[in-house]
Amino acid sequence: MYEFIDILIEEDVKIVETSGRSPESLMPRLKEHGFTVLHKVANVKNAVSAEKLGVDAIIIVGNETGGHPGMGDVGTLVMLPRAVDSVNIPVIAGGGFSDGRGLISALSLGAEGIVMGTRFMATQEAPIHENVKQWMVSANETDTVVIQRNIGSPSRVALNAVSKEVDKLENEGATIEELIPLITGQRSKKVYFEGNLDGGIWSCGQSVGLIKEILTVNELIKQIVQEAKNSFEFIQSRIESIRT
Amino acid sequence: MYEFIDILIEEDVKIVETSGRSPESLMPRLKEHGFTVLHKVANVKNAVSAEKLGVDAIIIVGNETGGHPGMGDVGTLVMLPRAVDSVNIPVIAGGGFSDGRGLISALSLGAEGIVMGTRFMATQEAPIHENVKQWMVSANETDTVVIQRNIGSPSRVALNAVSKEVDKLENEGATIEELIPLITGQRSKKVYFEGNLDGGIWSCGQSVGLIKEILTVNELIKQIVQEAKNSFEFIQSRIESIRT
């Protein structure tokens, strides 16, 4: 890992996201060089531990997230306020966010911002095959599945022939050795770069069900800002209707 | 069911919540008598069908909900805006809500209101045993489990000796006949009324992790209103900090 930090210093990067394991061993060097460290977690306990290690902010993801949700199935709607109540550093929310309504909902629960992965995959700039982007536009919110919970590494991926097979094998008690030929990242490349939708497993969050079109990143951000304004005004109108 | 409607007419009830199956057979009689009908669903498809049947509003619950979530594990954060986008009647949100922050988050996603079940169980007025209420205050967001998915009737319940046993039996392929002695409502009564926390299964949502104290209903509602105001002001402050 230290060689990555050397590159970050060389390239004058200011903000680092750590995740997947405790950032403890990296913290002295990261702090020595003045990085802002965001640590991503999938449960409240790890958020509390990371705060103690001196990270600057927490990114917490709920069960809706593509990639790695927690071992349980706690939704972002509950996980996020629990994290906000449990640490004193800023919390950024992930898992289920794809638009400006979601951004305002995260703020309402005490987050300082959101992270989006799935939504940015369906942008014109994303360096993945057009077939994947088109699938994302047509997919709905039930078209993902969490696999690898049985082997302690839960992963939310798009529903396809391979993830269905992995799910089936896991239910039959398959070992990690039996699953590796199916879950290997080598196969995922067939999806991303060759556009073979059943080529392997690939991370995808439930928010895929909310994606309606492939935009440029610029258009997407502008749209999110506009949606956030609309969402805020909707809340305001409902509060005013109570007062009057 | 018709005899229930007779009682509702007699008692001059104005609003009816239907759920668990299509309200189709009840609608002519309910509409004839001018009831406002809220139909509760756990997926978007059923929301669309209910709108076509003429219900007045949808209650949609995500995977966080106590009682019956959908067959998938779609969180409220995604399910709710999907429902709002899919029907033209008002949508009320359930699953994961316990406080004023949650209320504002629901509005931000386009809901006209929230339903809470779990939170009201931990109020002084709730006619259930004190042991249950105390457990709820001490429980965290991971202390629930979805059982009965294998038999087509998913149910989120409190984690206890019985629900763990049901979960285990289901993973071993148990039939509904084998599960009934454990999941029967007769056993649930031992929890609710005798305070035996391992007496049977009982519905409990993930929002149990956010419950910190047993309040009167009056105190709870006042607290929610105050929290909602704070949440709204927090959003406002974040928007202003961008503008300046």
Side-chain angles (χ1 to χ4, degrees), chain A:
Chain A
M1 290 304 232
Y2 286 114
E3 63 273 28
F4 287 113
I5 298 181
D6 289 338
I7 296 166
L8 296 173
I9 294 166
E10 236 176 82
E11 297 287 338
D12 206 25
V13 170
K14 304 290 186 200
I15 302 170
V16 173
E17 179 188 310
T18 55
S19 74
R21 67 193 70 186
S22 168
E24 186 164 12
S25 65
L26 304 172
M27 285 304 289
R29 202 158 148 72
L30 288 171
K31 284 286 111 187
E32 180 196 332
H33 289 278
F35 288 103
T36 296
V37 181
L38 315 180
H39 185 60
K40 188 193 268 179
V41 297
N43 64 60
V44 174
K45 194 179 152 213
N46 290 351
V48 172
S49 306
E51 180 181 34
K52 285 185 188 143
L53 294 173
V55 305
D56 298 285
I58 294 294
I59 302 173
I60 190 138
V61 296
N63 190 51
E64 295 88 342
T65 191
H68 298 300
M71 282 299 287
D73 67 345
V74 180
T76 302
L77 191 59
V78 172
M79 190 81 93
L80 169 57
R82 273 283 289 132
V84 169
D85 289 346
S86 304
V87 299
N88 293 305
I89 52 179
V91 176
I92 296 165
F97 299 105
S98 70
D99 60 25
R101 297 177 290 188
L103 171 58
I104 297 295
S105 77
L107 295 179
S108 76
L109 298 168
E112 296 285 349
I114 56 174
V115 291
M116 301 193 310
T118 302
R119 185 61 190 91
F120 280 117
M121 288 174 68
T123 55
Q124 285 187 26
E125 289 90 338
I128 55 172
H129 199 281
E130 188 64 20
N131 291 358
V132 179
K133 298 182 190 180
Q134 291 301 338
W135 181 88
M136 295 180 82
V137 170
S138 67
N140 76 41
E141 69 283 2
T142 57
D143 288 330
T144 73
V145 60
V146 175
I147 55 171
Q148 299 170 217
R149 226 166 224 154
N150 294 3
I151 58 170
S153 175
S155 193
R156 183 176 297 282
V157 298
L159 202 60
N160 67 10
V162 180
S163 59
K164 282 178 193 169
E165 177 69 13
V166 171
D167 193 38
K168 184 172 152 281
L169 289 173
E170 278 192 89
N171 287 334
E172 293 166 7
T175 62
I176 188 163
E177 287 73 21
E178 292 170 297
L179 297 177
I180 280 176
L182 291 167
I183 63 179
T184 170
Q186 289 305 316
R187 289 190 63 147
S188 309
K189 288 182 184 171
K190 290 188 191 172
V191 182
Y192 293 133
F193 305 121
E194 296 172 24
N196 175 359
L197 292 172
D198 285 322
I201 60 161
W202 57 284
S203 295
C204 183
Q206 290 181 349
S207 66
V208 72
L210 292 163
I211 299 175
K212 295 181 193 78
E213 50 184 342
I214 300 164
L215 301 171
T216 65
V217 170
N218 186 282
E219 288 165 343
L220 176 60
I221 298 291
K222 281 184 182 157
Q223 190 177 82
I224 288 174
V225 171
Q226 187 55 52
E227 289 164 342
K229 283 181 188 167
N230 296 346
S231 169
F232 184 73
E233 282 164 19
F234 180 81
I235 301 172
Q236 208 160 20
S237 73
R238 289 308 177 270
I239 291 175
E240 276 162 16
S241 75
I242 295 166
R243 283 186 183 146
T244 55

Side-chain angles (χ1 to χ4, degrees), chain B residues 204-218:
Chain B
C204 184
Q206 290 181 349
S207 66
V208 73
L210 292 163
I211 299 175
K212 295 182 194 77
E213 50 184 342
I214 300 164
L215 301 171
T216 65
V217 170
N218 186 281

Side-chain angles (χ1 to χ4, degrees), chain B residues 85-237:
Chain B
D85 289 346
S86 304
V87 299
N88 293 306
I89 51 179
V91 176
I92 296 165
F97 298 105
S98 70
D99 61 24
R101 297 177 290 188
L103 171 58
I104 298 295
S105 77
L107 295 180
S108 76
L109 298 167
E112 296 285 348
I114 56 174
V115 290
M116 302 193 310
T118 302
R119 185 61 189 92
F120 279 117
M121 288 174 68
T123 56
Q124 286 186 26
E125 290 90 339
I128 55 172
H129 199 280
E130 188 64 20
N131 290 358
V132 179
K133 298 181 190 180
Q134 290 301 338
W135 182 88
M136 294 180 82
V137 169
S138 66
N140 76 40
E141 69 283 2
T142 57
D143 288 330
T144 74
V145 61
V146 175
I147 55 172
Q148 299 171 215
R149 226 165 225 155
N150 294 4
I151 58 169
S153 175
S155 193
R156 183 175 298 282
V157 298
L159 203 60
N160 67 9
V162 181
S163 59
K164 282 178 193 167
E165 177 69 12
V166 171
D167 193 38
K168 185 173 152 280
L169 290 174
E170 278 192 89
N171 288 333
E172 293 165 8
T175 62
I176 188 164
E177 287 73 21
E178 291 170 299
L179 297 177
I180 280 176
L182 292 167
I183 63 179
T184 170
Q186 290 305 316
R187 289 190 64 146
S188 308
K189 288 183 184 172
K190 290 188 190 170
V191 183
Y192 293 133
F193 305 120
E194 296 172 25
N196 175 0
L197 292 172
D198 285 322
I201 61 161
W202 58 284
S203 295
C204 184
Q206 290 181 349
S207 66
V208 73
L210 292 163
I211 299 175
K212 295 182 194 77
E213 50 184 342
I214 300 164
L215 301 171
T216 65
V217 170
N218 186 281
E219 289 166 342
L220 176 60
I221 298 290
K222 281 183 182 157
Q223 190 176 82
I224 288 174
V225 170
Q226 187 55 52
E227 289 164 343
K229 282 180 187 167
N230 296 346
S231 169
F232 184 73
E233 281 164 18
F234 180 82
I235 301 172
Q236 208 160 19
S237 73

